[in-house]
Amino acid sequence: MIIIGENINTSIKLVETAVLNRDESFIRNLAKRQKAQGSDYLEVNSGLRIYPKEEAEDIEWLVPLVQAETGLPLCIDSAYPAVHRAALKHHQGRAILNSINGDSSRWEEILGVAKEYDCGIIGMLSDLKGIPAEPAGRVKIAERILDGVSSFGIPTERLFFDPVVMPVSVDTRNALVLVETLRQLKRSFPQVKTVAALSNMSYGLPRRSLINRTVLVLAVEAGLDAAIVNPLDKRTMAAKQAAETLLNGDQFCLNYIKAHREDRLE
């Protein structure tokens, strides 16, 4: 499974302060710690900015700083193609852009950037009507997104479907909907990867880590390929490693044993 570390996000107050003050030491340390705990990508998000120009300036500062510290590729999270483009001017390696959805009016510019810079792209399974309540509705949006991405000449293997994780505190069916959507996506589009921001599931609840690590195990079994999570939560990362091992994704349990030796299991 691909782990995308979620913590360089200005919705987190300490990160917002660090970005506003251009605190290089804080961001470098946060990036380094996420890599040490098993991140394959790091997400960067300065979405609290009101104006795209300010957000782009933040991203242009963050991208080279984070990559210089970690060498990891990044997941650029922004609603604005101009911010994606600003980030990619400084990015080394293949980035992932987060994201498009089923609203085709936004595809041309964002997919144009993704193709130009050879990026991965996340397709959120929502559209102008909102997020379908049932898995079948989300799968229909996925089919539309796949057709659109293919029409731009972007290889199918660069696409990630995001089934859209909604809090279980809002509707206790939301975890079941997530799992069933993942199953249907893997049956219908086995060539496309899946990704989910799993921490959203626990929003509004106490002991959020317990919910997060449990839904991660359910999602891995249902076919999740990439997770946007907090890699500094050792119990969540340990649950991920155990799930992969139990589901025959860890030959001879070598990764599990390595994680134990590196004190990454709890």
Side-chain angles (χ1 to χ4, degrees), residues 83-121:
V83 175
H84 291 144
R85 189 175 291 278
L88 292 168
K89 287 191 300 184
H90 302 277
H91 190 275
Q92 302 297 315
R94 178 174 292 153
I96 298 172
L97 302 187
N98 191 6
S99 60
I100 60 171
N101 61 17
D103 175 13
S104 60
S105 67
R106 299 184 63 244
W107 291 353
E108 184 168 357
E109 192 168 5
I110 295 177
L111 292 179
V113 174
K115 183 176 182 180
E116 179 182 349
Y117 286 91
D118 194 27
C119 297
I121 184 80

PDB file of all heavy atoms in Angstrom, residues 83-121:
ATOM      1  N   VAL A  83      -2.036  26.651  -8.823  1.00  0.00           N
ATOM      2  CA  VAL A  83      -1.228  26.209  -7.688  1.00  0.00           C
ATOM      3  C   VAL A  83      -0.499  24.913  -8.030  1.00  0.00           C
ATOM      4  O   VAL A  83       0.678  24.743  -7.717  1.00  0.00           O
ATOM      5  CB  VAL A  83      -2.118  26.032  -6.442  1.00  0.00           C
ATOM      6  CG1 VAL A  83      -1.318  25.445  -5.280  1.00  0.00           C
ATOM      7  CG2 VAL A  83      -2.734  27.365  -6.036  1.00  0.00           C
ATOM      8  N   HIS A  84      -1.196  23.990  -8.701  1.00  0.00           N
ATOM      9  CA  HIS A  84      -0.537  22.760  -9.155  1.00  0.00           C
ATOM     10  C   HIS A  84       0.663  23.095 -10.043  1.00  0.00           C
ATOM     11  O   HIS A  84       1.750  22.531  -9.875  1.00  0.00           O
ATOM     12  CB  HIS A  84      -1.519  21.897  -9.944  1.00  0.00           C
ATOM     13  CG  HIS A  84      -2.604  21.301  -9.108  1.00  0.00           C
ATOM     14  ND1 HIS A  84      -3.890  21.132  -9.569  1.00  0.00           N
ATOM     15  CD2 HIS A  84      -2.613  20.816  -7.840  1.00  0.00           C
ATOM     16  CE1 HIS A  84      -4.637  20.582  -8.630  1.00  0.00           C
ATOM     17  NE2 HIS A  84      -3.884  20.383  -7.578  1.00  0.00           N
ATOM     18  N   ARG A  85       0.438  24.008 -10.978  1.00  0.00           N
ATOM     19  CA  ARG A  85       1.515  24.352 -11.912  1.00  0.00           C
ATOM     20  C   ARG A  85       2.691  24.993 -11.167  1.00  0.00           C
ATOM     21  O   ARG A  85       3.861  24.689 -11.441  1.00  0.00           O
ATOM     22  CB  ARG A  85       0.981  25.288 -12.995  1.00  0.00           C
ATOM     23  CG  ARG A  85       1.948  25.530 -14.130  1.00  0.00           C
ATOM     24  CD  ARG A  85       1.322  26.370 -15.234  1.00  0.00           C
ATOM     25  NE  ARG A  85       0.271  25.638 -15.938  1.00  0.00           N
ATOM     26  CZ  ARG A  85       0.510  24.777 -16.911  1.00  0.00           C
ATOM     27  NH1 ARG A  85       1.755  24.517 -17.289  1.00  0.00           N
ATOM     28  NH2 ARG A  85      -0.493  24.175 -17.519  1.00  0.00           N
ATOM     29  N   ALA A  86       2.403  25.874 -10.216  1.00  0.00           N
ATOM     30  CA  ALA A  86       3.470  26.513  -9.439  1.00  0.00           C
ATOM     31  C   ALA A  86       4.272  25.467  -8.674  1.00  0.00           C
ATOM     32  O   ALA A  86       5.505  25.540  -8.602  1.00  0.00           O
ATOM     33  CB  ALA A  86       2.863  27.527  -8.470  1.00  0.00           C
ATOM     34  N   ALA A  87       3.579  24.479  -8.102  1.00  0.00           N
ATOM     35  CA  ALA A  87       4.270  23.425  -7.363  1.00  0.00           C
ATOM     36  C   ALA A  87       5.153  22.593  -8.277  1.00  0.00           C
ATOM     37  O   ALA A  87       6.299  22.265  -7.942  1.00  0.00           O
ATOM     38  CB  ALA A  87       3.245  22.535  -6.666  1.00  0.00           C
ATOM     39  N   LEU A  88       4.623  22.243  -9.435  1.00  0.00           N
ATOM     40  CA  LEU A  88       5.317  21.310 -10.320  1.00  0.00           C
ATOM     41  C   LEU A  88       6.553  21.926 -10.962  1.00  0.00           C
ATOM     42  O   LEU A  88       7.449  21.203 -11.394  1.00  0.00           O
ATOM     43  CB  LEU A  88       4.344  20.794 -11.385  1.00  0.00           C
ATOM     44  CG  LEU A  88       3.236  19.893 -10.808  1.00  0.00           C
ATOM     45  CD1 LEU A  88       2.150  19.659 -11.846  1.00  0.00           C
ATOM     46  CD2 LEU A  88       3.805  18.576 -10.316  1.00  0.00           C
ATOM     47  N   LYS A  89       6.633  23.241 -11.010  1.00  0.00           N
ATOM     48  CA  LYS A  89       7.840  23.893 -11.517  1.00  0.00           C
ATOM     49  C   LYS A  89       9.045  23.567 -10.645  1.00  0.00           C
ATOM     50  O   LYS A  89      10.194  23.629 -11.104  1.00  0.00           O
ATOM     51  CB  LYS A  89       7.642  25.412 -11.568  1.00  0.00           C
ATOM     52  CG  LYS A  89       6.732  25.890 -12.676  1.00  0.00           C
ATOM     53  CD  LYS A  89       6.776  27.394 -12.837  1.00  0.00           C
ATOM     54  CE  LYS A  89       6.343  28.117 -11.584  1.00  0.00           C
ATOM     55  NZ  LYS A  89       6.306  29.594 -11.770  1.00  0.00           N
ATOM     56  N   HIS A  90       8.791  23.214  -9.387  1.00  0.00           N
ATOM     57  CA  HIS A  90       9.876  22.943  -8.435  1.00  0.00           C
ATOM     58  C   HIS A  90       9.979  21.465  -8.058  1.00  0.00           C
ATOM     59  O   HIS A  90      10.920  21.079  -7.366  1.00  0.00           O
ATOM     60  CB  HIS A  90       9.650  23.759  -7.160  1.00  0.00           C
ATOM     61  CG  HIS A  90       9.569  25.229  -7.386  1.00  0.00           C
ATOM     62  ND1 HIS A  90      10.681  26.037  -7.485  1.00  0.00           N
ATOM     63  CD2 HIS A  90       8.489  26.049  -7.560  1.00  0.00           C
ATOM     64  CE1 HIS A  90      10.301  27.288  -7.701  1.00  0.00           C
ATOM     65  NE2 HIS A  90       8.981  27.316  -7.743  1.00  0.00           N
ATOM     66  N   HIS A  91       9.023  20.657  -8.499  1.00  0.00           N
ATOM     67  CA  HIS A  91       8.934  19.276  -8.025  1.00  0.00           C
ATOM     68  C   HIS A  91       9.887  18.358  -8.769  1.00  0.00           C
ATOM     69  O   HIS A  91      10.046  18.450  -9.983  1.00  0.00           O
ATOM     70  CB  HIS A  91       7.506  18.765  -8.193  1.00  0.00           C
ATOM     71  CG  HIS A  91       7.243  17.453  -7.529  1.00  0.00           C
ATOM     72  ND1 HIS A  91       7.516  16.242  -8.135  1.00  0.00           N
ATOM     73  CD2 HIS A  91       6.771  17.157  -6.288  1.00  0.00           C
ATOM     74  CE1 HIS A  91       7.208  15.267  -7.315  1.00  0.00           C
ATOM     75  NE2 HIS A  91       6.751  15.781  -6.191  1.00  0.00           N
ATOM     76  N   GLN A  92      10.492  17.451  -8.013  1.00  0.00           N
ATOM     77  CA  GLN A  92      11.362  16.427  -8.592  1.00  0.00           C
ATOM     78  C   GLN A  92      10.643  15.081  -8.532  1.00  0.00           C
ATOM     79  O   GLN A  92      10.137  14.688  -7.495  1.00  0.00           O
ATOM     80  CB  GLN A  92      12.677  16.340  -7.809  1.00  0.00           C
ATOM     81  CG  GLN A  92      13.448  17.636  -7.744  1.00  0.00           C
ATOM     82  CD  GLN A  92      13.902  18.109  -9.107  1.00  0.00           C
ATOM     83  OE1 GLN A  92      14.415  17.312  -9.915  1.00  0.00           O
ATOM     84  NE2 GLN A  92      13.730  19.385  -9.399  1.00  0.00           N
ATOM     85  N   GLY A  93      10.616  14.349  -9.652  1.00  0.00           N
ATOM     86  CA  GLY A  93       9.937  13.066  -9.690  1.00  0.00           C
ATOM     87  C   GLY A  93       8.477  13.224 -10.078  1.00  0.00           C
ATOM     88  O   GLY A  93       8.024  14.289 -10.499  1.00  0.00           O
ATOM     89  N   ARG A  94       7.721  12.125  -9.936  1.00  0.00           N
ATOM     90  CA  ARG A  94       6.315  12.114 -10.349  1.00  0.00           C
ATOM     91  C   ARG A  94       5.399  12.471  -9.177  1.00  0.00           C
ATOM     92  O   ARG A  94       5.278  11.719  -8.218  1.00  0.00           O
ATOM     93  CB  ARG A  94       5.925  10.755 -10.921  1.00  0.00           C
ATOM     94  CG  ARG A  94       4.446  10.679 -11.334  1.00  0.00           C
ATOM     95  CD  ARG A  94       4.141   9.379 -12.022  1.00  0.00           C
ATOM     96  NE  ARG A  94       4.810   9.317 -13.310  1.00  0.00           N
ATOM     97  CZ  ARG A  94       5.170   8.186 -13.916  1.00  0.00           C
ATOM     98  NH1 ARG A  94       4.922   7.020 -13.337  1.00  0.00           N
ATOM     99  NH2 ARG A  94       5.763   8.212 -15.091  1.00  0.00           N
ATOM    100  N   ALA A  95       4.751  13.600  -9.273  1.00  0.00           N
ATOM    101  CA  ALA A  95       3.806  14.036  -8.252  1.00  0.00           C
ATOM    102  C   ALA A  95       2.434  13.424  -8.498  1.00  0.00           C
ATOM    103  O   ALA A  95       2.146  12.882  -9.569  1.00  0.00           O
ATOM    104  CB  ALA A  95       3.700  15.562  -8.255  1.00  0.00           C
ATOM    105  N   ILE A  96       1.580  13.525  -7.499  1.00  0.00           N
ATOM    106  CA  ILE A  96       0.159  13.218  -7.624  1.00  0.00           C
ATOM    107  C   ILE A  96      -0.606  14.514  -7.400  1.00  0.00           C
ATOM    108  O   ILE A  96      -0.315  15.252  -6.444  1.00  0.00           O
ATOM    109  CB  ILE A  96      -0.293  12.168  -6.591  1.00  0.00           C
ATOM    110  CG1 ILE A  96       0.445  10.846  -6.801  1.00  0.00           C
ATOM    111  CG2 ILE A  96      -1.802  11.947  -6.666  1.00  0.00           C
ATOM    112  CD1 ILE A  96       0.188   9.821  -5.711  1.00  0.00           C
ATOM    113  N   LEU A  97      -1.555  14.809  -8.276  1.00  0.00           N
ATOM    114  CA  LEU A  97      -2.382  15.998  -8.115  1.00  0.00           C
ATOM    115  C   LEU A  97      -3.713  15.613  -7.489  1.00  0.00           C
ATOM    116  O   LEU A  97      -4.393  14.699  -7.940  1.00  0.00           O
ATOM    117  CB  LEU A  97      -2.628  16.672  -9.472  1.00  0.00           C
ATOM    118  CG  LEU A  97      -1.398  17.103 -10.261  1.00  0.00           C
ATOM    119  CD1 LEU A  97      -1.818  17.903 -11.491  1.00  0.00           C
ATOM    120  CD2 LEU A  97      -0.430  17.912  -9.405  1.00  0.00           C
ATOM    121  N   ASN A  98      -4.089  16.330  -6.464  1.00  0.00           N
ATOM    122  CA  ASN A  98      -5.344  16.101  -5.758  1.00  0.00           C
ATOM    123  C   ASN A  98      -6.175  17.385  -5.860  1.00  0.00           C
ATOM    124  O   ASN A  98      -5.887  18.343  -5.165  1.00  0.00           O
ATOM    125  CB  ASN A  98      -5.048  15.754  -4.294  1.00  0.00           C
ATOM    126  CG  ASN A  98      -6.244  15.241  -3.534  1.00  0.00           C
ATOM    127  OD1 ASN A  98      -7.295  15.032  -4.086  1.00  0.00           O
ATOM    128  ND2 ASN A  98      -6.079  15.065  -2.236  1.00  0.00           N
ATOM    129  N   SER A  99      -7.159  17.507  -6.772  1.00  0.00           N
ATOM    130  CA  SER A  99      -7.782  16.418  -7.475  1.00  0.00           C
ATOM    131  C   SER A  99      -8.770  16.988  -8.476  1.00  0.00           C
ATOM    132  O   SER A  99      -9.005  18.194  -8.536  1.00  0.00           O
ATOM    133  CB  SER A  99      -8.528  15.500  -6.489  1.00  0.00           C
ATOM    134  OG  SER A  99      -9.517  16.263  -5.813  1.00  0.00           O
ATOM    135  N   ILE A 100      -9.395  16.079  -9.239  1.00  0.00           N
ATOM    136  CA  ILE A 100     -10.570  16.410 -10.032  1.00  0.00           C
ATOM    137  C   ILE A 100     -11.761  15.664  -9.438  1.00  0.00           C
ATOM    138  O   ILE A 100     -11.609  14.881  -8.513  1.00  0.00           O
ATOM    139  CB  ILE A 100     -10.394  16.018 -11.514  1.00  0.00           C
ATOM    140  CG1 ILE A 100     -10.157  14.506 -11.653  1.00  0.00           C
ATOM    141  CG2 ILE A 100      -9.290  16.826 -12.172  1.00  0.00           C
ATOM    142  CD1 ILE A 100     -10.199  14.003 -13.085  1.00  0.00           C
ATOM    143  N   ASN A 101     -12.945  15.936  -9.969  1.00  0.00           N
ATOM    144  CA  ASN A 101     -14.119  15.137  -9.610  1.00  0.00           C
ATOM    145  C   ASN A 101     -14.949  14.913 -10.870  1.00  0.00           C
ATOM    146  O   ASN A 101     -14.442  15.051 -11.984  1.00  0.00           O
ATOM    147  CB  ASN A 101     -14.915  15.792  -8.477  1.00  0.00           C
ATOM    148  CG  ASN A 101     -15.457  17.166  -8.846  1.00  0.00           C
ATOM    149  OD1 ASN A 101     -15.529  17.541 -10.031  1.00  0.00           O
ATOM    150  ND2 ASN A 101     -15.850  17.931  -7.851  1.00  0.00           N
ATOM    151  N   GLY A 102     -16.212  14.592 -10.702  1.00  0.00           N
ATOM    152  CA  GLY A 102     -17.042  14.298 -11.864  1.00  0.00           C
ATOM    153  C   GLY A 102     -17.524  15.507 -12.619  1.00  0.00           C
ATOM    154  O   GLY A 102     -18.236  15.368 -13.631  1.00  0.00           O
ATOM    155  N   ASP A 103     -17.137  16.709 -12.203  1.00  0.00           N
ATOM    156  CA  ASP A 103     -17.501  17.941 -12.900  1.00  0.00           C
ATOM    157  C   ASP A 103     -16.530  18.172 -14.056  1.00  0.00           C
ATOM    158  O   ASP A 103     -15.416  18.646 -13.860  1.00  0.00           O
ATOM    159  CB  ASP A 103     -17.462  19.111 -11.916  1.00  0.00           C
ATOM    160  CG  ASP A 103     -17.712  20.460 -12.577  1.00  0.00           C
ATOM    161  OD1 ASP A 103     -18.162  20.476 -13.737  1.00  0.00           O
ATOM    162  OD2 ASP A 103     -17.448  21.489 -11.923  1.00  0.00           O
ATOM    163  N   SER A 104     -16.952  17.845 -15.258  1.00  0.00           N
ATOM    164  CA  SER A 104     -16.047  17.876 -16.420  1.00  0.00           C
ATOM    165  C   SER A 104     -15.604  19.284 -16.792  1.00  0.00           C
ATOM    166  O   SER A 104     -14.619  19.445 -17.523  1.00  0.00           O
ATOM    167  CB  SER A 104     -16.719  17.211 -17.621  1.00  0.00           C
ATOM    168  OG  SER A 104     -17.916  17.875 -17.968  1.00  0.00           O
ATOM    169  N   SER A 105     -16.279  20.315 -16.294  1.00  0.00           N
ATOM    170  CA  SER A 105     -15.881  21.688 -16.638  1.00  0.00           C
ATOM    171  C   SER A 105     -14.503  22.035 -16.080  1.00  0.00           C
ATOM    172  O   SER A 105     -13.864  22.976 -16.550  1.00  0.00           O
ATOM    173  CB  SER A 105     -16.925  22.684 -16.115  1.00  0.00           C
ATOM    174  OG  SER A 105     -16.935  22.718 -14.695  1.00  0.00           O
ATOM    175  N   ARG A 106     -14.028  21.274 -15.089  1.00  0.00           N
ATOM    176  CA  ARG A 106     -12.722  21.546 -14.484  1.00  0.00           C
ATOM    177  C   ARG A 106     -11.624  20.654 -15.030  1.00  0.00           C
ATOM    178  O   ARG A 106     -10.454  20.795 -14.656  1.00  0.00           O
ATOM    179  CB  ARG A 106     -12.805  21.366 -12.963  1.00  0.00           C
ATOM    180  CG  ARG A 106     -13.781  22.298 -12.281  1.00  0.00           C
ATOM    181  CD  ARG A 106     -13.748  22.131 -10.767  1.00  0.00           C
ATOM    182  NE  ARG A 106     -12.450  22.472 -10.218  1.00  0.00           N
ATOM    183  CZ  ARG A 106     -11.639  21.608  -9.606  1.00  0.00           C
ATOM    184  NH1 ARG A 106     -11.986  20.337  -9.467  1.00  0.00           N
ATOM    185  NH2 ARG A 106     -10.477  21.995  -9.123  1.00  0.00           N
ATOM    186  N   TRP A 107     -11.973  19.733 -15.900  1.00  0.00           N
ATOM    187  CA  TRP A 107     -10.991  18.738 -16.321  1.00  0.00           C
ATOM    188  C   TRP A 107      -9.890  19.305 -17.207  1.00  0.00           C
ATOM    189  O   TRP A 107      -8.718  18.953 -17.038  1.00  0.00           O
ATOM    190  CB  TRP A 107     -11.690  17.595 -17.070  1.00  0.00           C
ATOM    191  CG  TRP A 107     -12.543  16.733 -16.225  1.00  0.00           C
ATOM    192  CD1 TRP A 107     -12.664  16.778 -14.856  1.00  0.00           C
ATOM    193  CD2 TRP A 107     -13.418  15.703 -16.670  1.00  0.00           C
ATOM    194  NE1 TRP A 107     -13.572  15.849 -14.422  1.00  0.00           N
ATOM    195  CE2 TRP A 107     -14.045  15.164 -15.509  1.00  0.00           C
ATOM    196  CE3 TRP A 107     -13.739  15.181 -17.911  1.00  0.00           C
ATOM    197  CZ2 TRP A 107     -14.967  14.126 -15.582  1.00  0.00           C
ATOM    198  CZ3 TRP A 107     -14.649  14.149 -17.980  1.00  0.00           C
ATOM    199  CH2 TRP A 107     -15.264  13.629 -16.837  1.00  0.00           C
ATOM    200  N   GLU A 108     -10.256  20.137 -18.158  1.00  0.00           N
ATOM    201  CA  GLU A 108      -9.297  20.485 -19.211  1.00  0.00           C
ATOM    202  C   GLU A 108      -8.016  21.081 -18.646  1.00  0.00           C
ATOM    203  O   GLU A 108      -6.908  20.648 -18.993  1.00  0.00           O
ATOM    204  CB  GLU A 108      -9.924  21.445 -20.220  1.00  0.00           C
ATOM    205  CG  GLU A 108      -8.991  21.757 -21.379  1.00  0.00           C
ATOM    206  CD  GLU A 108      -9.700  22.475 -22.517  1.00  0.00           C
ATOM    207  OE1 GLU A 108     -10.933  22.679 -22.423  1.00  0.00           O
ATOM    208  OE2 GLU A 108      -9.013  22.832 -23.476  1.00  0.00           O
ATOM    209  N   GLU A 109      -8.152  22.053 -17.750  1.00  0.00           N
ATOM    210  CA  GLU A 109      -6.949  22.719 -17.257  1.00  0.00           C
ATOM    211  C   GLU A 109      -6.146  21.809 -16.334  1.00  0.00           C
ATOM    212  O   GLU A 109      -4.922  21.694 -16.465  1.00  0.00           O
ATOM    213  CB  GLU A 109      -7.334  24.012 -16.531  1.00  0.00           C
ATOM    214  CG  GLU A 109      -6.134  24.897 -16.257  1.00  0.00           C
ATOM    215  CD  GLU A 109      -6.532  26.288 -15.803  1.00  0.00           C
ATOM    216  OE1 GLU A 109      -7.739  26.552 -15.611  1.00  0.00           O
ATOM    217  OE2 GLU A 109      -5.618  27.112 -15.628  1.00  0.00           O
ATOM    218  N   ILE A 110      -6.823  21.133 -15.400  1.00  0.00           N
ATOM    219  CA  ILE A 110      -6.097  20.296 -14.445  1.00  0.00           C
ATOM    220  C   ILE A 110      -5.478  19.085 -15.134  1.00  0.00           C
ATOM    221  O   ILE A 110      -4.307  18.742 -14.895  1.00  0.00           O
ATOM    222  CB  ILE A 110      -7.027  19.852 -13.302  1.00  0.00           C
ATOM    223  CG1 ILE A 110      -7.477  21.063 -12.487  1.00  0.00           C
ATOM    224  CG2 ILE A 110      -6.313  18.844 -12.394  1.00  0.00           C
ATOM    225  CD1 ILE A 110      -8.451  20.734 -11.373  1.00  0.00           C
ATOM    226  N   LEU A 111      -6.234  18.427 -16.004  1.00  0.00           N
ATOM    227  CA  LEU A 111      -5.682  17.269 -16.695  1.00  0.00           C
ATOM    228  C   LEU A 111      -4.584  17.683 -17.666  1.00  0.00           C
ATOM    229  O   LEU A 111      -3.638  16.927 -17.905  1.00  0.00           O
ATOM    230  CB  LEU A 111      -6.790  16.506 -17.423  1.00  0.00           C
ATOM    231  CG  LEU A 111      -7.793  15.802 -16.505  1.00  0.00           C
ATOM    232  CD1 LEU A 111      -8.872  15.103 -17.325  1.00  0.00           C
ATOM    233  CD2 LEU A 111      -7.105  14.802 -15.577  1.00  0.00           C
ATOM    234  N   GLY A 112      -4.690  18.898 -18.199  1.00  0.00           N
ATOM    235  CA  GLY A 112      -3.615  19.405 -19.046  1.00  0.00           C
ATOM    236  C   GLY A 112      -2.314  19.533 -18.271  1.00  0.00           C
ATOM    237  O   GLY A 112      -1.237  19.177 -18.773  1.00  0.00           O
ATOM    238  N   VAL A 113      -2.403  20.033 -17.041  1.00  0.00           N
ATOM    239  CA  VAL A 113      -1.217  20.145 -16.183  1.00  0.00           C
ATOM    240  C   VAL A 113      -0.675  18.752 -15.845  1.00  0.00           C
ATOM    241  O   VAL A 113       0.534  18.505 -15.895  1.00  0.00           O
ATOM    242  CB  VAL A 113      -1.549  20.917 -14.891  1.00  0.00           C
ATOM    243  CG1 VAL A 113      -0.365  20.899 -13.927  1.00  0.00           C
ATOM    244  CG2 VAL A 113      -1.938  22.355 -15.213  1.00  0.00           C
ATOM    245  N   ALA A 114      -1.589  17.833 -15.509  1.00  0.00           N
ATOM    246  CA  ALA A 114      -1.161  16.471 -15.158  1.00  0.00           C
ATOM    247  C   ALA A 114      -0.432  15.795 -16.311  1.00  0.00           C
ATOM    248  O   ALA A 114       0.589  15.124 -16.115  1.00  0.00           O
ATOM    249  CB  ALA A 114      -2.372  15.639 -14.737  1.00  0.00           C
ATOM    250  N   LYS A 115      -0.946  15.986 -17.520  1.00  0.00           N
ATOM    251  CA  LYS A 115      -0.300  15.374 -18.678  1.00  0.00           C
ATOM    252  C   LYS A 115       1.049  16.028 -18.962  1.00  0.00           C
ATOM    253  O   LYS A 115       2.044  15.340 -19.224  1.00  0.00           O
ATOM    254  CB  LYS A 115      -1.204  15.477 -19.897  1.00  0.00           C
ATOM    255  CG  LYS A 115      -0.613  14.787 -21.125  1.00  0.00           C
ATOM    256  CD  LYS A 115      -1.574  14.828 -22.295  1.00  0.00           C
ATOM    257  CE  LYS A 115      -0.976  14.097 -23.503  1.00  0.00           C
ATOM    258  NZ  LYS A 115      -1.889  14.119 -24.666  1.00  0.00           N
ATOM    259  N   GLU A 116       1.098  17.345 -18.890  1.00  0.00           N
ATOM    260  CA  GLU A 116       2.343  18.062 -19.184  1.00  0.00           C
ATOM    261  C   GLU A 116       3.471  17.642 -18.255  1.00  0.00           C
ATOM    262  O   GLU A 116       4.628  17.501 -18.674  1.00  0.00           O
ATOM    263  CB  GLU A 116       2.093  19.567 -19.068  1.00  0.00           C
ATOM    264  CG  GLU A 116       3.323  20.422 -19.324  1.00  0.00           C
ATOM    265  CD  GLU A 116       3.041  21.911 -19.162  1.00  0.00           C
ATOM    266  OE1 GLU A 116       1.851  22.290 -19.060  1.00  0.00           O
ATOM    267  OE2 GLU A 116       4.021  22.680 -19.139  1.00  0.00           O
ATOM    268  N   TYR A 117       3.137  17.441 -16.979  1.00  0.00           N
ATOM    269  CA  TYR A 117       4.169  17.133 -15.983  1.00  0.00           C
ATOM    270  C   TYR A 117       4.216  15.648 -15.614  1.00  0.00           C
ATOM    271  O   TYR A 117       4.906  15.272 -14.663  1.00  0.00           O
ATOM    272  CB  TYR A 117       3.948  17.978 -14.731  1.00  0.00           C
ATOM    273  CG  TYR A 117       4.341  19.434 -14.909  1.00  0.00           C
ATOM    274  CD1 TYR A 117       3.413  20.375 -15.330  1.00  0.00           C
ATOM    275  CD2 TYR A 117       5.642  19.857 -14.663  1.00  0.00           C
ATOM    276  CE1 TYR A 117       3.755  21.712 -15.488  1.00  0.00           C
ATOM    277  CE2 TYR A 117       6.006  21.197 -14.821  1.00  0.00           C
ATOM    278  CZ  TYR A 117       5.051  22.109 -15.239  1.00  0.00           C
ATOM    279  OH  TYR A 117       5.401  23.430 -15.398  1.00  0.00           O
ATOM    280  N   ASP A 118       3.466  14.818 -16.337  1.00  0.00           N
ATOM    281  CA  ASP A 118       3.536  13.367 -16.153  1.00  0.00           C
ATOM    282  C   ASP A 118       3.162  12.965 -14.722  1.00  0.00           C
ATOM    283  O   ASP A 118       3.867  12.192 -14.067  1.00  0.00           O
ATOM    284  CB  ASP A 118       4.952  12.884 -16.488  1.00  0.00           C
ATOM    285  CG  ASP A 118       5.025  11.375 -16.650  1.00  0.00           C
ATOM    286  OD1 ASP A 118       4.005  10.759 -17.004  1.00  0.00           O
ATOM    287  OD2 ASP A 118       6.112  10.809 -16.400  1.00  0.00           O
ATOM    288  N   CYS A 119       2.033  13.505 -14.249  1.00  0.00           N
ATOM    289  CA  CYS A 119       1.617  13.295 -12.860  1.00  0.00           C
ATOM    290  C   CYS A 119       0.586  12.185 -12.735  1.00  0.00           C
ATOM    291  O   CYS A 119      -0.124  11.856 -13.681  1.00  0.00           O
ATOM    292  CB  CYS A 119       0.974  14.572 -12.305  1.00  0.00           C
ATOM    293  SG  CYS A 119       2.085  15.972 -12.230  1.00  0.00           S
ATOM    294  N   GLY A 120       0.451  11.690 -11.514  1.00  0.00           N
ATOM    295  CA  GLY A 120      -0.737  10.951 -11.142  1.00  0.00           C
ATOM    296  C   GLY A 120      -1.856  11.931 -10.868  1.00  0.00           C
ATOM    297  O   GLY A 120      -1.619  13.120 -10.615  1.00  0.00           O
ATOM    298  N   ILE A 121      -3.096  11.448 -10.899  1.00  0.00           N
ATOM    299  CA  ILE A 121      -4.242  12.322 -10.670  1.00  0.00           C
ATOM    300  C   ILE A 121      -5.271  11.578  -9.825  1.00  0.00           C
ATOM    301  O   ILE A 121      -5.556  10.400 -10.077  1.00  0.00           O
ATOM    302  CB  ILE A 121      -4.852  12.810 -12.009  1.00  0.00           C
ATOM    303  CG1 ILE A 121      -5.991  13.808 -11.772  1.00  0.00           C
ATOM    304  CG2 ILE A 121      -5.313  11.656 -12.878  1.00  0.00           C
ATOM    305  CD1 ILE A 121      -5.535  15.197 -11.468  1.00  0.00           C
TER     306      ILE A 121
END
